[in-house]
Amino acid sequence: MITKDMVQADIDALPVNYKTADVDRLIRGYVKEKLDLSCLREYVLTEQQFHRIYFHGTLKQIPDADDRLRWLDGNLLFSDWWHTDQCIDFVKDADIQKALSYARGYVLSDDPFIRRWGYVMFISKLCRDEAALDAILSLLHNDEHYYVQMAQAWLIAELAVFFPGRVLPWMRDCALTYSITGKAIQKICDSRRIADADKERFRALRAERKKIGRS
């Protein structure tokens, strides 16, 4: 059975100024050997070198997306935006209704990175289900934390890629402050996947949304 000290020794053996690719090679070895990495759980928030290994090394050993979603729900140990966002790909094939049931609690968390996860978890195939669009949009509410606002803006822009005709009127009438909608409009305008005509329609909302004020 692997221990924290054994993992630390493997990390110490990596090149000086090691990169993510070096860590991923370690992870592939742990996954191939089907090693239980639960020994790292209590350290991931205080010793960042274990975070990616614990999450990726465990999630890659869980074949079912809904089971990965369930595991993540029991391990909401996010301490920054990068490690949070690195989990998106693991839930892209999860059941949308199960994802929504978890997210409704996440977006109300006291922890800003759990709230961020409640939004970024849909920035994948999950947000392409038009039948779930209203439910996803209903998750969005005013939040003062920068990294949460950026996640919200990113999600809105991603939804606009697939459903611009529905996201536009929603944005026109939503109660979100310009701190969020302004960021979303900028992301939409920067996107290479959104038609210029649609970008112009969103850009035209700027003045209207500014009147709502900034948080």
Side-chain angles (χ1 to χ4, degrees):
M1 179 177 178
I2 198 164
T3 66
K4 176 210 173 190
D5 289 342
M6 292 167 67
V7 176
Q8 185 63 63
D10 288 340
I11 293 172
D12 292 342
L14 293 175
V16 177
N17 299 322
Y18 62 83
K19 298 179 172 59
T20 301
D22 297 310
V23 175
D24 285 343
R25 279 193 290 274
L26 283 183
I27 292 171
R28 286 195 293 272
Y30 298 148
V31 172
K32 184 177 181 179
E33 295 180 41
K34 299 181 180 180
L35 294 178
D36 180 354
L37 297 166
S38 57
C39 62
L40 303 179
R41 187 181 192 279
E42 64 182 290
Y43 303 104
V44 296
L45 290 178
T46 55
E47 300 179 60
Q48 287 284 297
Q49 69 270 28
F50 297 124
H51 201 289
R52 185 178 181 87
I53 294 171
Y54 174 64
F55 274 79
H56 288 230
T58 303
L59 287 165
K60 286 177 181 291
Q61 296 186 61
I62 302 175
D64 183 76
D66 291 342
D67 289 340
R68 291 195 292 269
L69 193 66
R70 189 178 303 109
W71 184 88
L72 280 162
D73 185 59
N75 289 272
L76 298 173
L77 306 170
F78 303 127
S79 60
D80 58 30
W81 67 267
W82 188 80
H83 283 115
T84 303
D85 297 359
Q86 290 294 306
C87 293
I88 295 171
D89 198 49
F90 291 109
V91 300
K92 65 182 180 182
D93 296 314
D95 178 80
I96 184 66
Q97 294 305 321
K98 290 181 181 178
L100 284 165
S101 68
Y102 286 120
R104 291 185 182 103
Y106 299 159
V107 300
L108 300 177
S109 172
D110 291 334
D111 187 321
F113 293 109
I114 294 177
R115 297 201 302 277
R116 181 179 173 94
W117 174 239
Y119 298 114
V120 301
M121 63 189 289
F122 293 99
I123 302 174
S124 67
K125 290 190 293 184
L126 284 178
C127 80
R128 302 177 193 178
D129 185 344
E130 188 168 9
L133 178 60
D134 288 339
I136 295 173
L137 290 172
S138 72
L139 297 172
L140 292 150
H141 62 273
N142 287 316
D143 195 300
E144 296 183 356
H145 196 278
Y146 173 78
Y147 286 114
V148 180
Q149 291 183 353
M150 292 303 294
Q152 292 173 313
W154 185 14
L155 176 57
I156 294 168
E158 188 71 10
L159 292 169
V161 170
F162 303 102
F163 313 112
R166 291 186 61 185
V167 174
L168 183 72
W170 170 84
M171 185 183 287
R172 181 178 291 115
D173 298 330
C174 75
L176 298 180
T177 65
Y178 188 70
S179 294
I180 300 168
T181 57
K183 291 180 177 68
I185 291 170
Q186 187 60 54
K187 284 185 174 292
I188 288 168
C189 292
D190 290 343
S191 175
R192 296 181 179 180
R193 296 182 294 159
I194 297 176
D196 289 343
D198 288 323
K199 291 180 182 181
E200 285 302 317
R201 294 184 184 96
F202 280 100
R203 190 177 287 115
L205 287 181
R206 280 190 185 279
E208 186 176 339
R209 295 305 308 178
K210 282 182 181 179
K211 292 179 182 178
I212 295 175
R214 302 174 185 269
S215 62

